[in-house]
Amino acid sequence: MPDLEPLEIGVMFWAGGDPLETIREVKSLGVRCGQLGIPGEMELDGAAQAWKQALEAEQFRLVTVFAAYRGESYADIPTVQRTVGFIPPATRQEREERTYAVSDFAARLGVPSIATHIGFIPEDPSHPDYVAVRDMVRRVCDYAARHGQTFALETGQEPARVLRRFIEDVDRPNLKVNFDPANMIMYGSGDPIEALDIVGPWVISVHCKDGEWPAKDRPGALGVEKRLGEGAVGIERFIQKLKAIGYRGTLNIEREIEDRHQRLADIRDAIELLRKLR
Ligand code: MG
């Protein structure tokens, strides 16, 4: 596996198709590392061996494996609150077990970090959902620790101070943050550069994604994702800030539009942009 440079450019991509073809497509963009998302419905039994072989054959390094869950929808903010991550009580146990399975899968691939959106963390620490999710995150951290893994929370759905207080309350050394500056903006959770002053010490990986603030006249709507450099993040100041806080991990480009052809074209342009900025 290649040794990575500080701030090496990578891509966030999803499993589902043939592992070798998937990795070759990502590599054809000009990167040799990235983060792999595992769809909630993907069958994990038996999948690890093919992924491991493909990664070795292509000398491609995964820095993170992301878990997603059956039944999640990102249609708008109320739907996210109702369906995403560890917050919905009805799916909590099933998703805890799925997270363990993703941790096992990542371990077979030799990947040192797993991550997920746990959903909207309630602001009130005495709220039953807060308590249940905090305890669940502790168990996931302890499980991941047995594989020598960190467990990273994707940012965006709550203000940085709420996330920081939650992390301190969970109190596990392998609990980290996958920082997505566009999510902070698209969910209206606060300025991402200021947020790095609050959660910076926990940031183990980042998404390079861009987006707009939510429209004021459409309550509950998420802001729109944009091509990197064309949204409200200010990608140049984001990279500068990462350097300023001493971040040395990879810059994982995330582009979430449906159109595959356009997505790949946008990622190519994003790689060009980041090469100039890093
Ligand atoms: Mg993201």
Side-chain angles (χ1 to χ4, degrees):
M1 291 295 137
D3 286 330
L4 303 179
E5 297 164 12
L7 304 183
E8 179 147 342
I9 299 166
V11 170
M12 168 76 203
F13 63 103
W14 288 84
D18 176 69
L20 198 56
E21 281 173 29
T22 305
I23 293 168
R24 283 181 179 159
E25 181 177 83
V26 175
K27 270 182 77 181
S28 75
L29 299 165
V31 298
R32 52 183 192 161
C33 65
Q35 298 177 300
L36 179 67
I38 305 294
E41 63 280 3
M42 183 175 145
E43 180 60 61
L44 286 178
D45 292 338
Q49 189 57 27
W51 273 97
K52 187 175 166 60
Q53 282 172 359
L55 291 165
E56 279 167 7
E58 294 296 318
Q59 287 294 295
F60 190 91
R61 178 106 158 241
L62 285 183
V63 295
T64 317
V65 174
F66 264 84
Y69 306 99
R70 233 191 295 255
E72 290 184 314
S73 167
Y74 290 85
D76 53 32
I77 290 173
T79 308
V80 172
Q81 282 171 326
R82 206 177 59 247
T83 68
V84 167
F86 294 177
I87 301 295
T91 50
R92 221 172 257 154
Q93 192 184 343
E94 159 193 328
R95 291 179 181 183
E96 182 168 343
E97 285 161 13
R98 177 69 177 180
T99 309
Y100 296 157
V102 169
S103 172
D104 293 343
F105 174 85
R108 278 184 219 124
L109 272 48
V111 180
S113 188
I114 59 167
T116 197
H117 276 284
I118 60 166
F120 279 88
I121 300 166
E123 294 223 12
D124 173 9
S126 65
H127 191 287
D129 287 341
Y130 177 100
V131 173
V133 169
R134 181 199 60 199
D135 293 349
M136 182 166 161
V137 169
R138 284 178 178 160
R139 292 192 297 274
V140 171
C141 284
D142 294 344
Y143 192 95
R146 292 203 285 275
H147 286 313
Q149 293 164 338
T150 55
F151 176 48
L153 309 179
E154 171 94 352
T155 55
Q157 292 157 356
E158 53 283 309
R161 62 178 171 74
V162 174
L163 182 61
R164 177 174 176 145
R165 194 185 58 196
F166 179 78
I167 291 169
E168 289 174 337
D169 191 13
V170 172
D171 193 25
R172 289 295 186 273
N174 64 332
L175 183 59
K176 303 290 178 183
V177 166
N178 183 84
F179 192 89
D180 185 326
N183 285 351
M184 302 285 311
I185 288 175
M186 291 158 61
Y187 285 89
S189 304
D191 179 73
I193 310 303
E194 289 170 21
L196 278 172
D197 283 325
I198 299 168
V199 298
W202 288 274
V203 174
I204 193 163
S205 49
V206 301
H207 283 164
C208 290
K209 190 172 85 182
D210 219 332
E212 296 289 354
W213 294 97
K216 289 203 173 65
D217 57 350
R218 294 176 57 213
L222 283 158
V224 177
E225 191 200 341
K226 305 292 272 190
R227 284 159 46 91
L228 198 68
E230 296 181 0
V233 167
I235 204 69
E236 186 168 359
R237 66 180 188 135
F238 177 57
I239 304 298
Q240 291 310 318
K241 184 70 182 181
L242 289 174
K243 288 181 184 172
I245 65 168
Y247 176 75
R248 310 269 292 169
T250 54
L251 304 174
N252 303 288
I253 296 163
E254 184 176 42
R255 184 69 169 126
E256 302 194 286
I257 52 170
E258 284 292 324
D259 182 331
R260 174 176 163 273
H261 189 75
Q262 189 62 50
R263 188 172 69 241
L264 293 173
D266 290 351
I267 292 172
R268 276 202 182 85
D269 290 346
I271 290 170
E272 278 309 302
L273 177 63
L274 288 178
R275 281 197 178 130
K276 287 181 204 134
L277 296 178
R278 68 182 275 270

mmCIF file of all heavy atoms in Angstrom, residues 117 154 178 180 183 207 209 254 256, ligand 1:
data_model
loop_
_atom_site.group_PDB
_atom_site.id
_atom_site.type_symbol
_atom_site.label_atom_id
_atom_site.label_comp_id
_atom_site.label_asym_id
_atom_site.label_seq_id
_atom_site.Cartn_x
_atom_site.Cartn_y
_atom_site.Cartn_z
ATOM 1 N N HIS A 117 -22.664 8.975 9.837
ATOM 2 C CA HIS A 117 -23.551 10.018 10.353
ATOM 3 C C HIS A 117 -24.337 9.378 11.482
ATOM 4 O O HIS A 117 -25.095 8.431 11.222
ATOM 5 C CB HIS A 117 -24.601 10.401 9.294
ATOM 6 C CG HIS A 117 -24.195 11.393 8.282
ATOM 7 N ND1 HIS A 117 -24.103 12.734 8.551
ATOM 8 C CD2 HIS A 117 -23.893 11.260 6.974
ATOM 9 C CE1 HIS A 117 -23.768 13.378 7.441
ATOM 10 N NE2 HIS A 117 -23.627 12.504 6.466
ATOM 11 N N GLU A 154 -19.400 11.974 11.383
ATOM 12 C CA GLU A 154 -19.498 12.962 10.301
ATOM 13 C C GLU A 154 -20.162 14.218 10.858
ATOM 14 O O GLU A 154 -21.153 14.137 11.575
ATOM 15 C CB GLU A 154 -20.340 12.365 9.169
ATOM 16 C CG GLU A 154 -20.724 13.326 8.079
ATOM 17 C CD GLU A 154 -19.766 13.311 6.889
ATOM 18 O OE1 GLU A 154 -18.710 12.652 6.973
ATOM 19 O OE2 GLU A 154 -20.097 13.954 5.891
ATOM 20 N N ASN A 178 -15.053 13.115 11.366
ATOM 21 C CA ASN A 178 -14.836 13.289 9.924
ATOM 22 C C ASN A 178 -15.497 14.621 9.569
ATOM 23 O O ASN A 178 -16.726 14.736 9.587
ATOM 24 C CB ASN A 178 -15.465 12.159 9.126
ATOM 25 C CG ASN A 178 -15.180 12.308 7.639
ATOM 26 O OD1 ASN A 178 -14.135 11.892 7.150
ATOM 27 N ND2 ASN A 178 -16.100 12.909 6.901
ATOM 28 N N ASP A 180 -16.939 17.616 7.584
ATOM 29 C CA ASP A 180 -17.486 17.957 6.268
ATOM 30 C C ASP A 180 -17.969 19.407 6.316
ATOM 31 O O ASP A 180 -19.015 19.700 6.896
ATOM 32 C CB ASP A 180 -18.639 17.003 5.938
ATOM 33 C CG ASP A 180 -19.185 17.218 4.534
ATOM 34 O OD1 ASP A 180 -19.193 18.372 4.072
ATOM 35 O OD2 ASP A 180 -19.601 16.233 3.898
ATOM 36 N N ASN A 183 -21.542 20.209 4.867
ATOM 37 C CA ASN A 183 -22.694 19.832 5.693
ATOM 38 C C ASN A 183 -23.015 20.919 6.710
ATOM 39 O O ASN A 183 -24.178 21.223 6.953
ATOM 40 C CB ASN A 183 -22.425 18.520 6.429
ATOM 41 C CG ASN A 183 -22.513 17.318 5.519
ATOM 42 O OD1 ASN A 183 -22.923 17.418 4.375
ATOM 43 N ND2 ASN A 183 -22.092 16.168 6.033
ATOM 44 N N HIS A 207 -13.968 15.739 4.516
ATOM 45 C CA HIS A 207 -14.559 15.750 3.183
ATOM 46 C C HIS A 207 -14.317 17.115 2.567
ATOM 47 O O HIS A 207 -14.483 18.138 3.247
ATOM 48 C CB HIS A 207 -16.061 15.464 3.246
ATOM 49 C CG HIS A 207 -16.346 14.010 3.448
ATOM 50 N ND1 HIS A 207 -17.563 13.529 3.848
ATOM 51 C CD2 HIS A 207 -15.539 12.934 3.290
ATOM 52 C CE1 HIS A 207 -17.500 12.198 3.924
ATOM 53 N NE2 HIS A 207 -16.281 11.827 3.604
ATOM 54 N N LYS A 209 -16.064 19.157 0.198
ATOM 55 C CA LYS A 209 -17.377 19.262 -0.451
ATOM 56 C C LYS A 209 -17.817 20.701 -0.300
ATOM 57 O O LYS A 209 -17.373 21.391 0.632
ATOM 58 C CB LYS A 209 -18.368 18.303 0.237
ATOM 59 C CG LYS A 209 -19.699 18.140 -0.481
ATOM 60 C CD LYS A 209 -20.541 17.025 0.152
ATOM 61 C CE LYS A 209 -21.354 17.520 1.333
ATOM 62 N NZ LYS A 209 -22.122 16.449 1.980
ATOM 63 N N GLU A 254 -15.775 14.773 -1.939
ATOM 64 C CA GLU A 254 -17.086 14.122 -1.924
ATOM 65 C C GLU A 254 -18.020 14.902 -2.841
ATOM 66 O O GLU A 254 -18.161 16.109 -2.700
ATOM 67 C CB GLU A 254 -17.659 14.082 -0.499
ATOM 68 C CG GLU A 254 -18.978 13.335 -0.424
ATOM 69 C CD GLU A 254 -19.504 13.193 0.997
ATOM 70 O OE1 GLU A 254 -19.427 14.171 1.768
ATOM 71 O OE2 GLU A 254 -19.974 12.116 1.341
ATOM 72 N N GLU A 256 -21.968 14.385 -4.413
ATOM 73 C CA GLU A 256 -23.080 13.470 -4.163
ATOM 74 C C GLU A 256 -24.207 13.559 -5.189
ATOM 75 O O GLU A 256 -25.308 13.136 -4.889
ATOM 76 C CB GLU A 256 -23.611 13.704 -2.742
ATOM 77 C CG GLU A 256 -22.516 13.506 -1.703
ATOM 78 C CD GLU A 256 -23.034 13.386 -0.284
ATOM 79 O OE1 GLU A 256 -23.443 14.396 0.293
ATOM 80 O OE2 GLU A 256 -23.016 12.254 0.232
HETATM 81 MG MG MG B 1 -19.665 14.158 3.895
#
